[in-house]
Amino acid sequence: MKTIDELLAEGVSGKRVFVRADLNVPLAGTEITDDGRIRAVQPTIAKLAEAGARVVVASHLGRPKGAPDPAFSLAPAARRLGELLGQDVAFATDTVGSSAKETVAALADGQVAVIENLRFNPGETSKDDAERGAFADQLAELADVYVGDGFGAVHRKHASVFDLPARLPHAAGSLIATEVGVLKKLTAEVERPYVVVLGGAKVSDKLAVIDELLGKADRILIGGGMAYTFLYAKGYEVGISLLQKDQVEKVTEYMERAEATGVELVLPVDVLVSTEFPDLKGKTPADFETVDADKIPADKEGLDIGPKTRELYASKIADAATVFWNGPVGVFEHPDYANGTRAVAQALVDSEAFTVVGGGDSAAAVRLLGFDENAFGHISTGGGASLEYLEGKSLPGIAALEG
């Protein structure tokens, strides 16, 4: 895989360089609530601009239905990128139409443009190779060179991620090189003890990675909504907590495998429960309480790990050499149910391990709860991509850059 430094050494001045970034940031109207992904790709764009490239930045945002939708415009991301770069960033109001062509044609050496949301064109996400390829052909007309740096999208077989690199000389950006290097430390070059913390809502989202990690991790700590399927499989009452009964058999198999192979699978010993899901505007249900994990009332729902579990999980992380964390362990958006996720983050900060926060909601939680990002070894920009890599899958966007 060619690196961006190798590309720069060959010279990019005057060349149109297409950067497939991940600007898929959360928005409240037109306001960006977390600009982490833009900041992550900014160094690659800055390097290219400083070297005299005419930089064309492209990304998706959200899940529009293959047609323009103002709610998913990349205009706010383009404005924020300009602020970070300290220069005006041009914005094209389409992907491969007249605005994109004119905007790119007007670029001078060292200037940057962002084209509109790639998913406004149905060819970007099409499962039909010909339709996807036709869109890639149109994108290729905008550039001389391709740089892949949208790690959050490399697990998608999309036109700008998979098909376009085959049509242009290509290299990996700084972010992708960093992300892949980190993931190798979690797979091929692991320092032990290796502790994995898995949270999030659904156990079905994490089955494949648990299956893979049962042969690699020393300890797996389970939290979040997915924990209640494990507790139910142990025979516990889980009340109205999130439960996937169709996964109980698989979860039981994993617990048995963990015991047989010596992997420590750690479940909550106490939880915070309530009769209703919390109002994220600040209202707290009057009857929320902490109970032992095997004593959840039938009319209540688990919403966070309890204080005993927080201490337990911190002790299991304390002596680790490597920690990977993916998924909050409670409803961290509400202050009354954020203490479990805060405790996990603090345990990572306090440890001397190489710590990786696996993107998505975990990365959002770290920022929302006020942690210094530099206190962690690495905060990934791609939760889904990280998980699929750890599952042992080939990532289309990485394979395309290696081709």
Side-chain angles (χ1 to χ4, degrees):
M1 186 173 1
K2 180 185 285 187
T3 67
I4 189 171
D5 291 334
E6 291 170 328
L7 178 66
L8 292 170
E10 295 172 357
V12 295
S13 182
K15 292 184 178 179
R16 299 170 302 161
V17 180
F18 187 105
V19 178
R20 198 341 176 153
D22 180 8
L23 308 180
N24 185 28
V25 292
L27 295 172
T30 59
E31 296 298 316
I32 296 170
T33 59
D34 182 355
D35 67 354
R37 284 175 168 162
I38 304 176
R39 287 186 288 110
V41 77
Q42 183 263 345
T44 289
I45 296 168
K47 279 184 183 180
L48 290 165
E50 289 165 7
R54 302 177 182 191
V55 188
V56 182
V57 182
S59 176
H60 70 286
L61 191 151
R63 297 179 182 272
K65 305 299 184 182
D69 183 339
F72 297 104
S73 175
L74 279 174
R79 286 193 295 271
R80 181 59 181 144
L81 177 61
E83 292 170 357
L84 292 170
L85 290 171
Q87 66 166 278
D88 290 336
V89 169
F91 181 66
T93 56
D94 56 27
T95 56
V96 291
S98 59
S99 179
K101 291 173 182 176
E102 291 167 9
T103 301
V104 173
L107 288 175
D109 295 359
Q111 291 186 331
V112 179
V114 174
I115 63 174
E116 187 54 285
N117 192 335
L118 291 163
R119 291 186 182 174
F120 286 180
N121 190 305
E124 170 67 1
T125 59
S126 176
K127 296 191 184 325
D128 181 83
D129 291 348
E131 184 180 11
R132 219 176 46 247
F135 183 49
D137 287 338
Q138 291 178 293
L139 291 172
E141 293 177 7
L142 301 175
D144 306 302
V145 181
Y146 176 94
V147 171
D149 215 27
F151 181 73
V154 293
H155 58 313
R156 306 295 188 192
K157 192 176 181 181
H158 290 170
S160 66
V161 175
F162 179 74
D163 301 273
L164 185 55
R167 289 157 168 78
L168 294 170
H170 51 266
S174 302
L175 175 60
I176 278 187
T178 298
E179 294 272 14
V180 171
V182 165
L183 288 168
K184 286 181 179 177
K185 290 185 179 181
L186 299 177
T187 51
E189 306 160 6
V190 183
E191 291 190 24
R192 298 182 180 280
Y194 179 20
V195 177
V196 175
V197 184
L198 295 176
K202 295 182 179 180
V203 69
S204 56
D205 293 339
K206 301 290 183 359
L207 288 175
V209 76
I210 295 171
D211 184 60
E212 188 71 17
L213 288 170
L214 280 172
K216 294 178 179 176
D218 298 299
R219 295 179 201 130
I220 301 176
L221 317 183
I222 303 292
M226 62 184 283
Y228 301 101
T229 300
F230 281 86
L231 295 173
Y232 186 87
K234 287 175 68 71
Y236 297 169
E237 167 66 62
V238 297
I240 57 172
S241 305
L242 187 61
L243 172 63
Q244 290 185 281
K245 285 189 177 181
D246 60 331
Q247 302 299 337
V248 170
E249 184 178 349
K250 180 61 70 176
V251 161
T252 302
E253 176 197 326
Y254 285 167
M255 290 193 292
E256 292 171 351
R257 273 178 57 195
E259 186 173 0
T261 57
V263 175
E264 194 176 356
L265 189 63
V266 187
L267 301 177
V269 294
D270 62 344
V271 296
L272 270 67
V273 298
S274 174
T275 53
E276 59 181 319
F277 199 79
D279 179 346
L280 298 184
K281 294 179 181 177
K283 179 182 176 183
T284 301
D287 60 346
F288 102 78
E289 62 178 319
T290 301
V291 299
D292 289 343
D294 61 348
K295 294 181 175 62
I296 298 175
D299 63 341
K300 295 193 176 182
E301 175 181 14
L303 296 169
D304 194 13
I305 58 173
K308 294 177 185 175
T309 306
R310 298 198 291 268
E311 291 183 12
L312 173 64
Y313 285 12
S315 72
K316 298 296 183 182
I317 291 168
D319 68 343
T322 304
V323 184
F324 173 70
W325 171 32
N326 183 282
V329 296
V331 187
F332 72 92
E333 299 92 341
H334 192 288
D336 289 324
Y337 303 104
N339 288 326
T341 299
R342 181 181 289 108
V344 169
Q346 190 63 54
L348 265 67
V349 170
D350 293 341
S351 78
E352 296 181 2
F354 174 63
T355 56
V356 179
V357 180
D361 286 342
S362 307
V366 163
R367 297 185 184 109
L368 180 67
L369 297 175
F371 284 89
D372 180 357
E373 294 181 42
N374 295 321
F376 303 89
H378 180 69
I379 297 179
S380 179
T381 57
S386 295
L387 286 177
E388 290 200 14
Y389 188 101
L390 293 180
E391 291 166 16
K393 293 182 178 178
S394 174
L395 305 182
I398 299 299
L401 292 173
E402 291 173 338

